[in-house]
Amino acid sequence: MTEEGKSQRAHRFIRERIASGVYGPGYRLVLSSLAAELSMSVVPVREAVRALTAEGLVTFERHVGARVAHVDGAQYRFTMQAISMLEGAATALAAPFTTAADLDRARRLNDVVRLGLPDLDPRVFREANQALHTTLYARCPNPRLLEIIQGEWVRLGHLRGTASAIAPGRAAEAVREHAALIDLIAAGAPAEDVERAARHHRDGSLTADLTVRHPAPDPFGADPGHCGPAPALLPAPLPALLPEGA
């Protein structure tokens, strides 16, 4: 394997561990230890860490070294807003290519939430919610857009497992908004209508999520949803939510 290939493997390995929460915020990335674990020299690992630093996943401090980046309340808010706009666009672009099977899966994921109310586990809500949204935008024909969305979710990946409380009434409202969005796509509604509905839903989710996670006011004094809607959390494997083969 070439040095470039090794660097890509190291990049993928570290990135996946950040996304899964194995390497949490502030975790120190020791290059020699990573190189030994990956059975390669330090050089490709160093290149991988540089790339991750450019992506905002890792920070580097003199005399301290590389660490997994922290995401504070403001960063969380702004990153979620950016993802919201990107996901809204991706959902609209994917709509013409979304199949009946995709829509059926989305409806069944929505039922996971609906049937679990009012005592739904917050983790289940977040996993089903994100799996639903991923299903609706996964067929977006713009691979770069999907890559950017995934990259931003990896950046926030260490927050994925947070099973904080759901804002009162938000889950039930989200179920209704999901159903309306799915019906729009099924009816072949114009792209702008699909994007508008997706962003309206995400706007409500962002506002509700921030009241639970980061209730501090926007540093610019604006409505927390002023830049766009908020997405749910990175998807868990679907078999955990739906029967095998669903």
Side-chain angles (χ1 to χ4, degrees):
M1 182 181 292
T2 65
E3 287 298 302
E4 181 179 0
K6 290 179 181 178
S7 177
Q8 292 172 346
R9 183 162 72 90
H11 179 276
R12 183 170 58 252
F13 175 83
I14 300 169
R15 196 172 190 263
E16 288 174 352
R17 291 204 164 191
I18 293 173
S20 67
V22 174
Y23 296 163
Y27 182 88
R28 185 166 176 245
L29 299 172
V30 181
L31 302 190
S32 58
S33 298
L34 287 167
E37 188 171 0
L38 291 166
S39 300
M40 61 178 66
S41 72
V42 171
V43 174
V45 175
R46 183 180 293 113
E47 290 303 311
V49 169
R50 284 175 179 167
L52 291 164
T53 301
E55 293 173 28
L57 294 173
V58 172
T59 59
F60 185 85
E61 298 178 38
R62 187 181 298 275
H63 307 307
V64 175
R67 294 184 183 274
V68 176
H70 288 274
V71 179
D72 63 23
Q75 289 176 313
Y76 179 84
R77 180 189 304 264
F78 296 141
T79 301
M80 293 285 273
Q81 288 170 339
I83 294 173
S84 299
M85 290 184 281
L86 294 168
E87 281 197 2
T91 300
L93 289 171
F97 308 100
T98 300
T99 67
D102 295 331
L103 295 175
D104 181 62
R105 170 181 267 191
R107 288 189 177 100
R108 286 181 288 124
L109 284 163
N110 204 29
D111 284 342
V112 169
V113 178
R114 180 177 60 81
L115 297 173
L117 297 176
D119 301 316
L120 186 67
D121 184 320
R123 189 182 300 275
V124 173
F125 168 71
R126 296 183 187 284
E127 290 174 352
N129 192 27
Q130 183 58 24
L132 185 156
H133 284 284
T134 301
T135 299
L136 295 181
Y137 71 70
R139 296 189 187 275
C140 172
N142 185 327
R144 178 56 180 158
L145 181 55
L146 294 176
E147 182 182 355
I148 294 171
I149 291 170
Q150 179 64 14
E152 288 301 293
W153 274 119
V154 170
R155 183 168 179 264
L156 295 179
H158 55 271
L159 297 173
R160 178 182 63 175
T162 303
S164 56
I166 305 170
R170 181 56 199 163
E173 188 176 9
V175 166
R176 292 190 293 271
E177 292 169 357
H178 288 156
L181 176 59
I182 293 167
D183 287 345
L184 274 177
I185 296 171
E192 57 268 25
D193 291 348
V194 172
E195 182 170 3
R196 186 180 302 112
R199 292 195 58 185
H200 172 76
H201 164 67
R202 292 305 206 179
D203 181 66
S205 295
L206 173 60
T207 302
D209 197 50
L210 287 172
T211 63
V212 174
R213 288 179 179 271
H214 297 290
D218 187 290
F220 299 112
D223 183 330
H226 74 286
C227 287
L233 299 180
L234 198 66
L238 288 178
L241 302 171
L242 295 176
E244 186 172 356

